[in-house]
Structure formats: structure tokens, C-alpha cells
Amino acid sequence: MQLFPVRPEGDPDRRALAPHRPDARLNAPIVATLPGPTQVFVQCQKQGDTVTAEGHTNNWWSRLRDQGGYISNIYIDHPDAQLPGIPNC
């Protein structure tokens, strides 16, 4: 498990708010949004629905320790689609 920052709100290069869902699917309900800047503990990651936002596309999602659900890795402030050192769920 590692701590990663969520992209800050208003960052012109990437995202504003990170939708938090119970599964790695776009049709799963949004249970909360995580505003940036904040940090999240990532337990594991898995491939799910593809997310495209502001010119970036990614199908990897991270399970969050404290929130108990998933956010797309597109909202994690890291250049790789799949986060290094994080096991698959």
C-alpha cells in the first residue's frame, strides 16, 4: 500500500475532481468526489472501464484504503497508467 496524491483542482494539465465509485466501472454510482489536492492510500489496482479526460486515457483503477472504493488512475498524480509497486486486486 502506498500514498499517492490526487491531482489538484484546477490543474490545467489534468483533472479537477476525482469521482469515487464502488467498482472500476463507469456505470457504477459515484459515491463521492475527491477534491484535489488530497492524498489517498492505494491498496491495489485493477483494469476496468476506460476513462478519458482532458486528452488522457487510462483503464487502470485504484482501490482506496480509507474510502473503500475505486478511482480511475487517471486522477492519480503519477505519469504511469499502472502504478508501480501496487499489486493487482
Side-chain angles (χ1 to χ4, degrees):
M1 179 171 14
Q2 291 183 26
L3 184 65
F4 287 93
V6 172
R7 296 194 184 281
E9 183 174 357
D11 181 345
D13 182 46
R14 289 284 186 123
R15 315 311 136 217
L17 298 175
H20 169 244
R21 301 172 188 271
D23 197 10
R25 297 174 294 121
L26 291 172
N27 64 353
I30 295 174
V31 294
T33 54
L34 302 175
T38 190
Q39 294 195 353
V40 293
F41 282 100
V42 174
Q43 291 181 303
C44 60
Q45 59 190 331
K46 69 179 184 177
Q47 289 181 297
D49 288 348
T50 298
V51 175
T52 299
E54 300 179 27
H56 300 275
T57 301
N58 188 349
N59 72 333
W60 282 93
W61 294 66
S62 289
R63 180 161 176 77
L64 307 181
R65 179 192 73 182
D66 297 333
Q67 293 79 8
Y70 291 85
I71 63 170
S72 168
N73 283 3
I74 207 166
Y75 298 105
I76 301 288
D77 193 8
H78 194 280
D80 296 338
Q82 184 178 7
L83 301 175
I86 300 295
N88 290 344
C89 296

mmCIF file of all heavy atoms in Angstrom, residues 2 4 40 42 44-45 58 60-63 71-74 76-88:
data_model
loop_
_atom_site.group_PDB
_atom_site.id
_atom_site.type_symbol
_atom_site.label_atom_id
_atom_site.label_comp_id
_atom_site.label_asym_id
_atom_site.label_seq_id
_atom_site.Cartn_x
_atom_site.Cartn_y
_atom_site.Cartn_z
ATOM 1 N N GLN A 2 0.552 2.189 -0.848
ATOM 2 C CA GLN A 2 1.324 3.415 -0.943
ATOM 3 C C GLN A 2 0.400 4.619 -0.932
ATOM 4 O O GLN A 2 -0.773 4.525 -1.294
ATOM 5 C CB GLN A 2 2.141 3.437 -2.234
ATOM 6 C CG GLN A 2 3.269 2.431 -2.281
ATOM 7 C CD GLN A 2 4.066 2.578 -3.566
ATOM 8 O OE1 GLN A 2 4.112 3.625 -4.171
ATOM 9 N NE2 GLN A 2 4.696 1.495 -3.980
ATOM 10 N N PHE A 4 -0.545 8.175 -2.519
ATOM 11 C CA PHE A 4 -0.422 8.906 -3.778
ATOM 12 C C PHE A 4 -1.263 10.177 -3.705
ATOM 13 O O PHE A 4 -2.341 10.175 -3.114
ATOM 14 C CB PHE A 4 -0.925 8.072 -4.965
ATOM 15 C CG PHE A 4 -0.011 6.962 -5.361
ATOM 16 C CD1 PHE A 4 -0.187 5.694 -4.837
ATOM 17 C CD2 PHE A 4 1.017 7.174 -6.264
ATOM 18 C CE1 PHE A 4 0.646 4.658 -5.209
ATOM 19 C CE2 PHE A 4 1.854 6.143 -6.628
ATOM 20 C CZ PHE A 4 1.672 4.873 -6.104
ATOM 21 N N VAL A 40 -4.279 9.857 -1.094
ATOM 22 C CA VAL A 40 -5.038 8.632 -0.852
ATOM 23 C C VAL A 40 -4.085 7.454 -0.720
ATOM 24 O O VAL A 40 -3.024 7.430 -1.354
ATOM 25 C CB VAL A 40 -6.049 8.359 -1.993
ATOM 26 C CG1 VAL A 40 -7.148 9.405 -2.008
ATOM 27 C CG2 VAL A 40 -5.359 8.289 -3.349
ATOM 28 N N VAL A 42 -3.458 3.774 -1.670
ATOM 29 C CA VAL A 42 -3.878 2.817 -2.688
ATOM 30 C C VAL A 42 -3.502 1.419 -2.216
ATOM 31 O O VAL A 42 -2.340 1.131 -1.958
ATOM 32 C CB VAL A 42 -3.216 3.138 -4.052
ATOM 33 C CG1 VAL A 42 -3.540 2.059 -5.071
ATOM 34 C CG2 VAL A 42 -3.647 4.516 -4.541
ATOM 35 N N CYS A 44 -4.596 -1.620 -3.935
ATOM 36 C CA CYS A 44 -4.354 -2.470 -5.091
ATOM 37 C C CYS A 44 -4.975 -1.780 -6.299
ATOM 38 O O CYS A 44 -5.614 -0.743 -6.163
ATOM 39 C CB CYS A 44 -4.944 -3.869 -4.887
ATOM 40 S SG CYS A 44 -6.742 -3.900 -4.614
ATOM 41 N N GLN A 45 -4.767 -2.358 -7.469
ATOM 42 C CA GLN A 45 -5.323 -1.769 -8.689
ATOM 43 C C GLN A 45 -5.776 -2.875 -9.633
ATOM 44 O O GLN A 45 -5.319 -4.012 -9.535
ATOM 45 C CB GLN A 45 -4.311 -0.852 -9.357
ATOM 46 C CG GLN A 45 -3.018 -1.527 -9.752
ATOM 47 C CD GLN A 45 -1.950 -0.553 -10.195
ATOM 48 O OE1 GLN A 45 -2.247 0.514 -10.706
ATOM 49 N NE2 GLN A 45 -0.708 -0.925 -10.003
ATOM 50 N N ASN A 58 -7.049 6.022 -19.839
ATOM 51 C CA ASN A 58 -6.481 5.002 -18.972
ATOM 52 C C ASN A 58 -7.597 4.050 -18.545
ATOM 53 O O ASN A 58 -8.722 4.478 -18.309
ATOM 54 C CB ASN A 58 -5.875 5.685 -17.736
ATOM 55 C CG ASN A 58 -5.084 4.748 -16.862
ATOM 56 O OD1 ASN A 58 -5.124 3.534 -17.020
ATOM 57 N ND2 ASN A 58 -4.366 5.310 -15.919
ATOM 58 N N TRP A 60 -6.869 1.674 -15.943
ATOM 59 C CA TRP A 60 -6.470 1.164 -14.626
ATOM 60 C C TRP A 60 -7.167 1.963 -13.533
ATOM 61 O O TRP A 60 -7.276 3.183 -13.608
ATOM 62 C CB TRP A 60 -4.954 1.239 -14.445
ATOM 63 C CG TRP A 60 -4.258 0.143 -15.170
ATOM 64 C CD1 TRP A 60 -3.753 0.186 -16.431
ATOM 65 C CD2 TRP A 60 -4.021 -1.171 -14.687
ATOM 66 N NE1 TRP A 60 -3.220 -1.030 -16.767
ATOM 67 C CE2 TRP A 60 -3.364 -1.884 -15.718
ATOM 68 C CE3 TRP A 60 -4.294 -1.821 -13.489
ATOM 69 C CZ2 TRP A 60 -2.974 -3.206 -15.574
ATOM 70 C CZ3 TRP A 60 -3.910 -3.144 -13.351
ATOM 71 C CH2 TRP A 60 -3.259 -3.827 -14.387
ATOM 72 N N TRP A 61 -7.618 1.259 -12.503
ATOM 73 C CA TRP A 61 -8.316 1.862 -11.372
ATOM 74 C C TRP A 61 -7.635 1.432 -10.073
ATOM 75 O O TRP A 61 -7.136 0.311 -9.957
ATOM 76 C CB TRP A 61 -9.757 1.381 -11.337
ATOM 77 C CG TRP A 61 -10.602 1.837 -12.477
ATOM 78 C CD1 TRP A 61 -10.462 1.492 -13.797
ATOM 79 C CD2 TRP A 61 -11.724 2.702 -12.407
ATOM 80 N NE1 TRP A 61 -11.438 2.100 -14.546
ATOM 81 C CE2 TRP A 61 -12.231 2.847 -13.715
ATOM 82 C CE3 TRP A 61 -12.363 3.367 -11.368
ATOM 83 C CZ2 TRP A 61 -13.341 3.633 -14.008
ATOM 84 C CZ3 TRP A 61 -13.473 4.145 -11.657
ATOM 85 C CH2 TRP A 61 -13.949 4.272 -12.961
ATOM 86 N N SER A 62 -7.641 2.310 -9.082
ATOM 87 C CA SER A 62 -7.035 2.036 -7.777
ATOM 88 C C SER A 62 -8.099 1.890 -6.700
ATOM 89 O O SER A 62 -9.031 2.691 -6.630
ATOM 90 C CB SER A 62 -6.096 3.183 -7.385
ATOM 91 O OG SER A 62 -4.950 3.184 -8.181
ATOM 92 N N ARG A 63 -7.930 0.854 -5.879
ATOM 93 C CA ARG A 63 -8.801 0.678 -4.704
ATOM 94 C C ARG A 63 -8.198 1.489 -3.565
ATOM 95 O O ARG A 63 -7.020 1.346 -3.237
ATOM 96 C CB ARG A 63 -8.923 -0.785 -4.311
ATOM 97 C CG ARG A 63 -9.817 -0.968 -3.095
ATOM 98 C CD ARG A 63 -10.309 -2.391 -2.969
ATOM 99 N NE ARG A 63 -11.079 -2.569 -1.749
ATOM 100 C CZ ARG A 63 -12.333 -2.163 -1.569
ATOM 101 N NH1 ARG A 63 -12.976 -1.562 -2.545
ATOM 102 N NH2 ARG A 63 -12.953 -2.364 -0.426
ATOM 103 N N ILE A 71 -11.018 4.755 -7.687
ATOM 104 C CA ILE A 71 -10.947 5.905 -8.578
ATOM 105 C C ILE A 71 -10.072 5.508 -9.753
ATOM 106 O O ILE A 71 -9.171 4.671 -9.622
ATOM 107 C CB ILE A 71 -10.408 7.206 -7.919
ATOM 108 C CG1 ILE A 71 -8.972 7.052 -7.455
ATOM 109 C CG2 ILE A 71 -11.321 7.674 -6.811
ATOM 110 C CD1 ILE A 71 -8.334 8.367 -7.038
ATOM 111 N N SER A 72 -10.351 6.101 -10.885
ATOM 112 C CA SER A 72 -9.525 5.849 -12.056
ATOM 113 C C SER A 72 -8.118 6.373 -11.797
ATOM 114 O O SER A 72 -7.936 7.442 -11.204
ATOM 115 C CB SER A 72 -10.118 6.561 -13.275
ATOM 116 O OG SER A 72 -9.194 6.548 -14.341
ATOM 117 N N ASN A 73 -7.119 5.630 -12.243
ATOM 118 C CA ASN A 73 -5.734 6.082 -12.100
ATOM 119 C C ASN A 73 -5.465 7.367 -12.872
ATOM 120 O O ASN A 73 -4.452 8.014 -12.646
ATOM 121 C CB ASN A 73 -4.757 4.988 -12.547
ATOM 122 C CG ASN A 73 -4.602 3.900 -11.511
ATOM 123 O OD1 ASN A 73 -5.264 3.912 -10.479
ATOM 124 N ND2 ASN A 73 -3.744 2.938 -11.782
ATOM 125 N N ILE A 74 -6.357 7.730 -13.750
ATOM 126 C CA ILE A 74 -6.192 8.974 -14.484
ATOM 127 C C ILE A 74 -6.198 10.166 -13.523
ATOM 128 O O ILE A 74 -5.650 11.215 -13.818
ATOM 129 C CB ILE A 74 -7.281 9.102 -15.576
ATOM 130 C CG1 ILE A 74 -6.783 9.960 -16.714
ATOM 131 C CG2 ILE A 74 -8.590 9.614 -15.021
ATOM 132 C CD1 ILE A 74 -7.636 9.861 -17.955
ATOM 133 N N ILE A 76 -4.918 9.979 -10.398
ATOM 134 C CA ILE A 76 -3.760 9.880 -9.513
ATOM 135 C C ILE A 76 -2.605 10.668 -10.134
ATOM 136 O O ILE A 76 -2.343 10.564 -11.327
ATOM 137 C CB ILE A 76 -3.344 8.400 -9.311
ATOM 138 C CG1 ILE A 76 -4.493 7.578 -8.723
ATOM 139 C CG2 ILE A 76 -2.086 8.296 -8.464
ATOM 140 C CD1 ILE A 76 -4.803 7.860 -7.278
ATOM 141 N N ASP A 77 -1.934 11.429 -9.324
ATOM 142 C CA ASP A 77 -0.840 12.276 -9.813
ATOM 143 C C ASP A 77 0.426 11.445 -9.977
ATOM 144 O O ASP A 77 1.347 11.501 -9.161
ATOM 145 C CB ASP A 77 -0.616 13.442 -8.848
ATOM 146 C CG ASP A 77 0.267 14.520 -9.448
ATOM 147 O OD1 ASP A 77 0.581 14.448 -10.656
ATOM 148 O OD2 ASP A 77 0.645 15.445 -8.705
ATOM 149 N N HIS A 78 0.431 10.632 -11.041
ATOM 150 C CA HIS A 78 1.592 9.799 -11.386
ATOM 151 C C HIS A 78 1.585 9.634 -12.898
ATOM 152 O O HIS A 78 0.524 9.470 -13.496
ATOM 153 C CB HIS A 78 1.510 8.435 -10.696
ATOM 154 C CG HIS A 78 2.798 7.695 -10.749
ATOM 155 N ND1 HIS A 78 3.194 6.996 -11.862
ATOM 156 C CD2 HIS A 78 3.795 7.586 -9.842
ATOM 157 C CE1 HIS A 78 4.379 6.470 -11.642
ATOM 158 N NE2 HIS A 78 4.774 6.814 -10.418
ATOM 159 N N PRO A 79 2.758 9.664 -13.537
ATOM 160 C CA PRO A 79 2.782 9.622 -15.004
ATOM 161 C C PRO A 79 2.429 8.268 -15.623
ATOM 162 O O PRO A 79 2.060 8.208 -16.792
ATOM 163 C CB PRO A 79 4.222 10.008 -15.350
ATOM 164 C CG PRO A 79 5.025 9.624 -14.146
ATOM 165 C CD PRO A 79 4.098 9.851 -12.974
ATOM 166 N N ASP A 80 2.505 7.179 -14.860
ATOM 167 C CA ASP A 80 2.235 5.855 -15.418
ATOM 168 C C ASP A 80 0.750 5.504 -15.311
ATOM 169 O O ASP A 80 0.093 5.842 -14.327
ATOM 170 C CB ASP A 80 3.049 4.786 -14.698
ATOM 171 C CG ASP A 80 4.545 4.963 -14.881
ATOM 172 O OD1 ASP A 80 4.951 5.628 -15.862
ATOM 173 O OD2 ASP A 80 5.306 4.449 -14.039
ATOM 174 N N ALA A 81 0.248 4.782 -16.310
ATOM 175 C CA ALA A 81 -1.144 4.325 -16.283
ATOM 176 C C ALA A 81 -1.349 3.321 -15.149
ATOM 177 O O ALA A 81 -2.313 3.400 -14.395
ATOM 178 C CB ALA A 81 -1.523 3.707 -17.620
ATOM 179 N N GLN A 82 -0.451 2.357 -15.043
ATOM 180 C CA GLN A 82 -0.466 1.362 -13.963
ATOM 181 C C GLN A 82 0.561 1.811 -12.929
ATOM 182 O O GLN A 82 1.725 2.018 -13.254
ATOM 183 C CB GLN A 82 -0.137 -0.017 -14.511
ATOM 184 C CG GLN A 82 -0.236 -1.108 -13.473
ATOM 185 C CD GLN A 82 0.050 -2.485 -14.040
ATOM 186 O OE1 GLN A 82 0.450 -2.621 -15.184
ATOM 187 N NE2 GLN A 82 -0.148 -3.501 -13.247
ATOM 188 N N LEU A 83 0.142 1.968 -11.686
ATOM 189 C CA LEU A 83 1.025 2.485 -10.660
ATOM 190 C C LEU A 83 2.087 1.467 -10.279
ATOM 191 O O LEU A 83 1.764 0.300 -10.038
ATOM 192 C CB LEU A 83 0.209 2.871 -9.421
ATOM 193 C CG LEU A 83 -0.871 3.921 -9.636
ATOM 194 C CD1 LEU A 83 -1.679 4.112 -8.368
ATOM 195 C CD2 LEU A 83 -0.263 5.235 -10.100
ATOM 196 N N PRO A 84 3.349 1.888 -10.208
ATOM 197 C CA PRO A 84 4.425 0.956 -9.844
ATOM 198 C C PRO A 84 4.349 0.581 -8.364
ATOM 199 O O PRO A 84 3.980 1.408 -7.529
ATOM 200 C CB PRO A 84 5.687 1.749 -10.152
ATOM 201 C CG PRO A 84 5.293 3.185 -10.025
ATOM 202 C CD PRO A 84 3.852 3.238 -10.473
ATOM 203 N N GLY A 85 4.660 -0.671 -8.079
ATOM 204 C CA GLY A 85 4.717 -1.130 -6.699
ATOM 205 C C GLY A 85 3.373 -1.420 -6.059
ATOM 206 O O GLY A 85 3.309 -1.745 -4.871
ATOM 207 N N ILE A 86 2.290 -1.309 -6.814
ATOM 208 C CA ILE A 86 0.954 -1.587 -6.284
ATOM 209 C C ILE A 86 0.470 -2.909 -6.897
ATOM 210 O O ILE A 86 0.450 -3.065 -8.115
ATOM 211 C CB ILE A 86 -0.033 -0.454 -6.653
ATOM 212 C CG1 ILE A 86 0.433 0.879 -6.076
ATOM 213 C CG2 ILE A 86 -1.439 -0.798 -6.181
ATOM 214 C CD1 ILE A 86 0.445 0.935 -4.566
ATOM 215 N N PRO A 87 0.084 -3.884 -6.057
ATOM 216 C CA PRO A 87 -0.355 -5.177 -6.594
ATOM 217 C C PRO A 87 -1.698 -5.073 -7.297
ATOM 218 O O PRO A 87 -2.471 -4.133 -7.072
ATOM 219 C CB PRO A 87 -0.469 -6.050 -5.354
ATOM 220 C CG PRO A 87 -0.741 -5.093 -4.238
ATOM 221 C CD PRO A 87 0.002 -3.831 -4.590
ATOM 222 N N ASN A 88 -1.975 -6.048 -8.132
ATOM 223 C CA ASN A 88 -3.302 -6.154 -8.753
ATOM 224 C C ASN A 88 -4.304 -6.649 -7.711
ATOM 225 O O ASN A 88 -3.958 -7.437 -6.838
ATOM 226 C CB ASN A 88 -3.270 -7.124 -9.932
ATOM 227 C CG ASN A 88 -2.496 -6.566 -11.104
ATOM 228 O OD1 ASN A 88 -2.217 -5.369 -11.199
ATOM 229 N ND2 ASN A 88 -2.116 -7.435 -12.027
#
